């Protein structure tokens, strides 16, 4: 039987189809006010791609900020627990620390070998260093966020960005551009600035190996490198970092159903 | 010490036209405040565990939006109190009705925002704003007593507008577990007595003081029962906080009687086994009940707290010697020594109390609530986190303010925190 996980995040809605603990299919669309419609559209596409019928689906688990918005949910799971389980399974139980960069928050999660959350830190209401922050930067720099990694590798002289506040960084970037700083150098500076912010967030949490990075911005190789340098630790990135949470939700539901 | 304020309110606009515009804005804010109080009271009424006898406490907590009702309900003169160190019994004995001036209103903050630092403690912002309304409990008070606890309170006289009631400052010794600190606080109590006598136009009567101490003792006993009920999950954390908040405004005898009625009807344990948590940190006061409500929404029971607007209020004064000195000394000790406000330098007691309670009631986690700008609690939170985790408990720090927009963010953390406790 197929189990589905939907992560209704602030920046994107992600749908994942799994069979036991195998990732079958996943797709994300930007979050818009019509949450249910987007979910249904993704579900339809997934069912067609995987060639499954409604009766083959054991259930749908929802997670993320909009987890209560989808009426067809069989189980509502908090995003931190879903992330822990998802990372645990995908890393073959190696993950001990997860750094999740989401649309509007950053989480650092300590996880047990069984996928249980042991401790976590999360930023307060502030979009500093999150997916939204990169979206803002992409808009001003006129560069797709997906290309930030490659662009930052072309930087010759990284610029220092002092602000990680999504609002103040915007004016700082504009000033830097008007001073003639190159786009690539600014992007490299942004990565460094976000990495520093993440390092501060970890605070008193001891970052236990192995450390995994996930969430949409984790696909950015330039950011990964900056985080690695800032934390002075090895950082692993999942193949599909955006889908870890939805995957984890599907796993939790699948396990719950097999127990029942 | 008696403070006369320089004109801050002149910063409000001077001309008739500007005054008119100020009045319009004030009217608008007043409506928003009333709506905020109403919304919170209604949401409490809609809860499954709402009982008719709790309505009384919601009425009491709505009094700040109808100060004329305060005059009708209680006999003055009124003394407004900041913090919890000034002994209620002393005011009562000299005929004053003590009201603790706390506020959890977000809407009201706009009134003082132009005159305060942006990162001010939300509670202070709201309390000071009340002085800018044409009618408020704060303005109804004949005197306002301010112990110098945190920096915000210490600077309070500078922030309160000129038209406010006279302020009386009590200099709080920040080292309490020393003979010197205790002697100094007793001196402050005596000084307060002299000031109150002057305002009341009569001397403190020893017998009257003893009557007041005994009257409050009954209140403390019921307060103790309320705490016991909460530990046994017979009443939930949010309602306990509501009842305790009401204690800060109500007449002690009415409060005691009404809480007794509530406890009579709350005798059955809840049929669930939610993990229990300890709520620590910055004060929570109506209508700001976001934290306790979200903890419960996330599926946890608040079995204990140490909030100065809830369990820490309980002074439980007992006396050995019923002379005036004996009674005042007992009051001085009970309101100072056991108080675990983080503004004290020697405050090991706070952490010990929390750990002991958690062990005694099998509470596995602590939610440490911080109001943005509440520095003493913030400073202590780091050491607390370390020690609490070392002792095998879970710790979650939540920093917030009176706004509502971070509810989802907080809820997400609380739900995950619950999983760590299971």
């Amino acid at each position: 039987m197929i189990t589905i996980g939907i992560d209704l995040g602030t920046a994107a809605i992600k749908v994942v189809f799994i069979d036991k603990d195998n990732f079958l299919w996943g797709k994300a669309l930007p979050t818009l006010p019509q949450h249910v419609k987007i979910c249904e559209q993704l579900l339809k596409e997934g069912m067609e791609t995987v060639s499954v019928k409604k009766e083959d689906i054991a259930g749908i688990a929802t997670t993320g900020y909009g987890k209560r918005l989808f009426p067809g949910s069989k189980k509502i799971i908090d995003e931190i627990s879903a992330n822990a389980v998802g990372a645990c399974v995908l890393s073959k139980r190696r993950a001990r620390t997860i750094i999740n960069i989401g649309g509007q928050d950053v989480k650092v999660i300590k996880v047990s070998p069984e996928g249980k959350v042991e401790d976590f830190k999360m930023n307060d209401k502030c979009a500093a260093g999150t997916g939204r922050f990169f979206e803002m930067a992409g808009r001003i720099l006129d560069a797709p966020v997906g290309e930030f990694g490659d662009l930052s590798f072309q930087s010759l002289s990284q610029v220092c960005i002092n602000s990680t506040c999504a609002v103040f960084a915007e004016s700082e970037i504009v000033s830097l551009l008007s001073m003639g700083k190159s786009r690539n150098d600014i992007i490299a500076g942004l990565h460094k600035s976000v990495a520093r912010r993440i390092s501060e967030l970890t605070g008193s949490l001891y970052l236990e190996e192995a450390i995994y990075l996930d969430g949409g911005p984790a696909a950015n190789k330039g950011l990964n490198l900056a985080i690695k340098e800032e934390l002075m630790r090895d950082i692993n990135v999942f193949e599909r970092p955006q889908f870890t949470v939805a995957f984890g939700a599907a796993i939790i539901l699948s396990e719950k159903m097999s127990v029942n | 010490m008696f403070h006369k304020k320089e004109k801050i309110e002149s910063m409000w606009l001077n001309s008739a036209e500007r005054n008119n515009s100020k009045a319009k804005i004030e009217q608008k804010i007043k409506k928003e405040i009333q709506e905020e109080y109403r919304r919170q009271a209604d949401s409490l009424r809609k809860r499954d565990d709402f009982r008719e006898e709790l309505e009384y406490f919601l009425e009491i907590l709505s009094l700040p939006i109808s100060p004329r009702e305060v005059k009708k309900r209680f006999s003055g003169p009124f003394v407004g109190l900041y913090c919890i160190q000034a002994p209620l019994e002393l005011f009562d004995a000299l005929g004053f009705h003590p009201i603790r001036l706390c506020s959890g209103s977000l809407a009201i903050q706009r009134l003082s925002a132009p005159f305060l630092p942006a990162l001010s403690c939300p509670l202070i912002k709201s309390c000071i704003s009340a002085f800018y309304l044409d009618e408020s409990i704060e303005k109804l008070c004949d005197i306002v007593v301010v112990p110098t606890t945190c920096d915000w309170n210490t600077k309070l006289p500078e922030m309160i507008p000129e038209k406010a009631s006279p302020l009386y400052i009590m200099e709080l010794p920040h080292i309490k577990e020393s003979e010197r600190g205790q002697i100094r606080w007793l001196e402050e109590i005596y000084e307060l007595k002299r000031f109150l006598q002057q305002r009341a136009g009569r001397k403190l009567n020893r017998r009257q003081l003893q009557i007041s101490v005994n009257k409050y003792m009954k209140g403390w006993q019921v307060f103790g029962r309320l705490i016991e009920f909460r530990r046994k999950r017979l009443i939930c954390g949010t309602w306990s906080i509501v009842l305790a908040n009401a204690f800060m405004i109500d007449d002690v005898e009415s409060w005691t009687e009404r809480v007794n009625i509530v406890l009579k009807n709350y005798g059955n344990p809840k049929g669930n086994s939610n993990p229990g948590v300890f709520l620590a940190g910055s004060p929570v006061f109506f209508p700001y009940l976001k934290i306790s409500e979200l903890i419960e929404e996330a599926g946890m029971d608040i079995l204990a707290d140490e909030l100065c607007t809830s369990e820490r209020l309980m002074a439980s004064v007992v006396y050995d010697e019923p002379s005036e000195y004996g009674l005042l000394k007992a009051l001085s000790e009970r309101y100072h020594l056991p108080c675990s406000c983080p503004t004290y330098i020697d405050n090991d007691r706070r952490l010990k109390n929390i750990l002991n309670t958690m062990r005694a009631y099998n509470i596995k986690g602590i939610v440490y609530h911080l109001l943005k700008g509440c520095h003493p609690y913030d400073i202590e939170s780091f050491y607390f986190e370390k020690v609490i985790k070392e002792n095998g408990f879970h710790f979650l720090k939540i920093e917030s303010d009176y706004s509502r927009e971070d509810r989802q963010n907080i809820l997400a953390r609380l739900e995950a925190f619950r999983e760590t406790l299971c």
Side-chain angles (χ1 to χ4, degrees), chain B residues 11-34:
Chain B
M11 289 161 81
W12 276 111
L13 316 165
N14 286 326
S15 70
E17 192 185 322
R18 285 174 171 186
N19 280 340
N20 187 25
S21 131
K22 184 198 151 196
K24 276 186 189 165
I25 293 171
E26 202 178 292
Q27 274 309 315
K28 185 175 174 277
I29 295 175
K30 249 186 186 173
K31 272 189 189 162
E32 286 172 11
I33 300 166
Q34 283 165 352

Side-chain angles (χ1 to χ4, degrees), chain B residues 149-165:
Chain B
T149 47
C150 64
D151 284 353
W152 295 113
N153 258 4
T154 307
K155 299 299 279 180
L156 199 73
E158 226 170 277
M159 298 188 277
I160 288 181
E162 190 195 17
K163 283 182 195 163
S165 329

Side-chain angles (χ1 to χ4, degrees), chain A residues 162-180:
Chain A
N162 295 306
S163 184
T164 46
C165 166
V167 178
F168 289 116
E170 187 169 338
S171 52
E172 200 173 345
I173 295 169
V174 171
S175 306
L176 288 166
L177 284 171
S178 65
M179 283 160 65

Side-chain angles (χ1 to χ4, degrees), chain B residues 228-418:
Chain B
E228 207 180 294
F229 264 58
R230 178 191 198 170
R231 301 277 193 273
K232 292 179 183 165
R233 300 173 197 256
L234 298 172
I235 188 164
C236 77
T238 296
W239 283 119
S240 299
I241 292 170
V242 164
L243 266 56
N245 280 184
F247 174 81
M248 296 162 73
I249 299 175
D250 202 3
D251 153 62
V252 66
E253 284 176 315
S254 312
W255 184 87
T256 307
E257 188 192 325
R258 294 293 186 149
V259 174
N260 260 329
I261 296 170
V262 170
L263 297 185
K264 216 184 252 178
N265 295 328
Y266 260 97
N268 297 318
K270 271 175 27 184
N272 69 30
S273 54
N274 286 342
V277 289
F278 191 107
L279 176 59
S282 306
V284 165
F285 193 81
F286 188 90
Y288 173 68
L289 295 174
K290 175 172 76 179
I291 297 298
S292 68
E293 286 180 331
L294 288 174
I295 292 173
E296 286 164 1
E297 193 178 331
M300 292 176 281
D301 291 340
I302 309 164
L303 298 188
D305 74 58
E306 53 121 25
L307 310 179
C308 58
T309 49
S310 181
E311 288 193 20
R312 199 187 294 156
L313 282 168
M314 201 174 96
S316 256
V317 176
V318 281
Y319 56 90
D320 300 325
E321 204 229 300
S323 66
E324 183 183 302
Y325 173 78
L327 293 167
L328 288 176
K329 191 163 184 295
L331 289 173
S332 157
E333 279 172 4
R334 289 305 299 176
Y335 277 85
H336 191 229
L337 254 179
C339 182
S340 55
C341 172
T343 55
Y344 290 110
I345 294 163
D346 48 346
N347 207 23
D348 293 347
R349 200 187 281 259
R350 182 171 170 231
L351 189 52
K352 275 183 200 155
N353 286 350
I354 292 175
L355 288 170
N356 287 343
T357 308
M358 290 177 83
R359 285 191 194 107
Y361 295 94
N362 194 25
I363 299 171
K364 289 181 184 161
I366 178 166
V367 177
Y368 197 102
H369 161 243
L370 261 183
L371 284 174
K372 275 186 203 301
C374 181
H375 303 132
Y377 281 106
D378 202 356
I379 293 164
E380 285 201 354
S381 70
F382 295 92
Y383 176 64
F384 269 48
E385 177 171 4
K386 182 177 170 283
V387 176
I388 283 165
K389 283 180 177 171
E390 277 169 5
N391 277 272
F393 298 107
H394 292 269
F395 183 96
L396 176 68
K397 181 158 97 177
I398 288 179
E399 190 173 7
S400 189
D401 52 29
Y402 290 174
S403 62
R404 293 176 64 83
E405 75 252 16
D406 59 354
R407 286 179 75 95
Q408 278 306 315
N409 179 303
I410 294 174
L411 186 61
R413 279 185 275 176
L414 288 168
E415 284 170 339
F417 187 62
R418 183 191 185 276

Side-chain angles (χ1 to χ4, degrees), chain A residues 3-8 58-64 66-79 81-82 85 245-246 248-260, chain B residues 415 418-419 422:
Chain A
T3 317
I4 298 170
I6 307 180
D7 175 8
L8 293 104
I60 299 172
T62 52
T63 185
K67 56 187 173 278
R68 291 183 179 83
L69 298 175
F70 184 71
S73 176
K74 199 161 194 169
K75 186 163 176 63
I76 294 169
I77 301 157
D78 76 85
E79 43 274 44
S81 303
V85 170
V245 181
I251 293 279
I252 292 173
L253 177 63
S254 161
E255 283 176 358
K256 183 180 175 264
M257 290 173 74
S258 63
V259 168
N260 288 346
Chain B
E415 284 170 339
R418 183 191 185 276
E419 293 304 308
C422 293

